[in-house]
């Protein structure tokens, strides 16, 4: 439960997040239909910026970004957008490394918030939504690049489907019930990308450079 002074704030935050969740589900459908990540990137980031800005507009006494941990979370969002935009032009291994840095940032911003004793309502929700956006964008990249089937999109949408339904069951004075498995999903996707791509990368090096795997290389070596 939260203090009565925060009830209206949480109500508005939940309402904005509900619309944001619905929008992300629709944007994902459009992205799958058009095969163009621009829809998801532009729409989700604009929606994220909208509800963040609304929170600070509703609380003029709070300065943006309110804490160093929130600033780190915003940096994670920037890196996530950059990595997703670059995904068609980089290898899956390189994308996996960048996504892993984003996962490490998730650990760091939480540590900083607790260490400085500066945990905030907006920081808590911002961290959740950044994690959810990470899972959605990375799973969509996996599907569009042909490294996973359409089933992986379901993992990316779990958070948004969960919140759109849960919104109607939480009371005005109640913070969001913690959605199960969100962090687990984030690290599962990150490990899937980097382990799969690393294995493929090193296997390719072996095939291209070792004569016992590459008959052409062996023939050329014997010829000289």
């Amino acid at each position: 439960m939260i203090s009565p002074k925060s009830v209206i704030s949480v109500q508005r935050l939940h309402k904005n997040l509900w619309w944001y969740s619905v929008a992300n589900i629709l944007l994902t459908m459009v992205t799958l239909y058009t095969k163009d990540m621009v829809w998801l990137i532009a729409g989700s980031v604009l929606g994220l910026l909208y509800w963040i800005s609304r929170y600070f507009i509703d609380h003029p006494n709070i300065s943006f970004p309110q804490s160093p941990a929130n600033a780190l979370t915003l940096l994670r969002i920037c890196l996530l957008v950059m990595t997703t935009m670059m995904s068609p032009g980089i290898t899956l291994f390189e994308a996996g490394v960048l996504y892993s840095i984003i996962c490490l940032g998730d650990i760091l911003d939480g540590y900083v918030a607790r260490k400085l004793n500066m945990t905030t309502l907006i920081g808590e929700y911002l961290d959740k939504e950044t994690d959810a956006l990470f899972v959605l964008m990375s799973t969509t990249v996996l599907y569009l690049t042909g490294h996973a089937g359409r089933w992986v999109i379901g993992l990316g949408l779990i958070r948004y489907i969960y919140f759109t339904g849960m919104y109607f069951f939480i009371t005005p004075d109640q913070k969001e019930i913690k959605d199960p498995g969100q962090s687990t999903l984030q690290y599962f996707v990150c490990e899937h990308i980097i382990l799969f791509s690393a294995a493929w990368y090193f296997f390719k090096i072996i095939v291209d450079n070792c004569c016992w795997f590459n008959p052409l290389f062996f023939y050329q070596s014997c010829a000289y």
Side-chain angles (χ1 to χ4, degrees):
M1 302 293 288
I2 59 177
S3 64
K5 293 181 179 180
S6 302
V7 171
I8 296 177
S9 174
V10 172
Q11 281 182 304
R12 290 177 178 173
L13 187 58
H14 284 171
K15 184 177 180 180
N16 290 333
L17 285 177
W18 187 85
W19 284 110
Y20 174 69
S21 297
V22 171
N24 275 350
I25 293 172
L26 295 176
L27 286 166
T28 302
M29 298 301 104
V30 174
T31 299
L32 295 180
Y33 179 76
T34 61
K35 308 288 186 185
D36 190 349
M37 279 295 296
V38 171
W39 290 96
L40 182 58
I41 294 172
S44 60
V45 171
L46 287 174
L48 193 67
L49 292 176
Y50 171 78
W51 71 258
I52 293 173
S53 61
R54 286 301 311 171
Y55 181 85
F56 285 98
I57 290 172
D58 291 339
H59 299 79
N61 58 313
I62 300 177
S63 59
F64 179 83
Q66 193 176 4
S67 74
N70 291 345
L72 284 173
T73 305
L74 292 172
L75 286 175
R76 286 173 55 210
I77 295 172
C78 293
L79 182 57
L80 173 61
V81 171
M82 290 173 57
T83 303
T84 306
M85 290 178 66
M86 294 188 301
S87 60
I90 61 177
T91 65
L92 191 63
F93 178 75
E94 292 167 337
V97 171
L98 293 172
Y99 281 137
S100 297
I101 294 173
I102 297 169
C103 288
L104 292 175
D106 182 30
I107 299 172
L108 182 61
D109 61 12
Y111 172 79
V112 170
R114 291 187 295 270
K115 187 72 174 178
L116 299 179
N117 194 25
M118 296 183 70
T119 55
T120 61
L121 179 66
I122 186 63
E124 179 182 342
Y125 279 84
L126 182 59
D127 185 62
K128 288 179 183 178
E129 296 309 316
T130 304
D131 292 347
L133 192 59
F134 169 87
V135 176
L136 179 58
M137 286 191 174
S138 56
T139 52
T140 305
V141 167
L142 282 175
Y143 170 70
L144 291 181
T145 54
H147 292 96
R150 187 167 292 184
W151 62 269
V152 79
I153 301 297
L155 297 180
L157 290 174
I158 283 180
R159 155 69 184 175
Y160 302 105
I161 295 173
Y162 169 81
F163 187 82
T164 53
M166 186 204 65
Y167 172 77
F168 298 100
F169 297 96
I170 53 179
T171 59
D173 60 342
Q174 182 182 32
K175 289 200 299 183
E176 178 191 349
I177 303 167
K178 184 175 177 60
D179 48 329
Q182 184 62 49
S183 296
T184 303
L185 275 177
Q186 180 178 217
Y187 294 112
F188 167 79
V189 171
C190 192
E191 288 174 3
H192 179 91
I193 293 174
I194 197 163
L195 291 178
F196 175 82
S197 55
W200 175 254
Y201 180 77
F202 288 115
F203 178 75
K204 189 174 184 300
I205 290 177
I206 293 174
V207 170
D208 289 344
N209 296 282
C210 297
C211 60
W212 53 85
F213 275 109
N214 192 329
L216 180 60
F217 183 89
F218 178 77
Y219 175 78
Q220 291 173 338
S221 298
C222 293
Y224 290 101

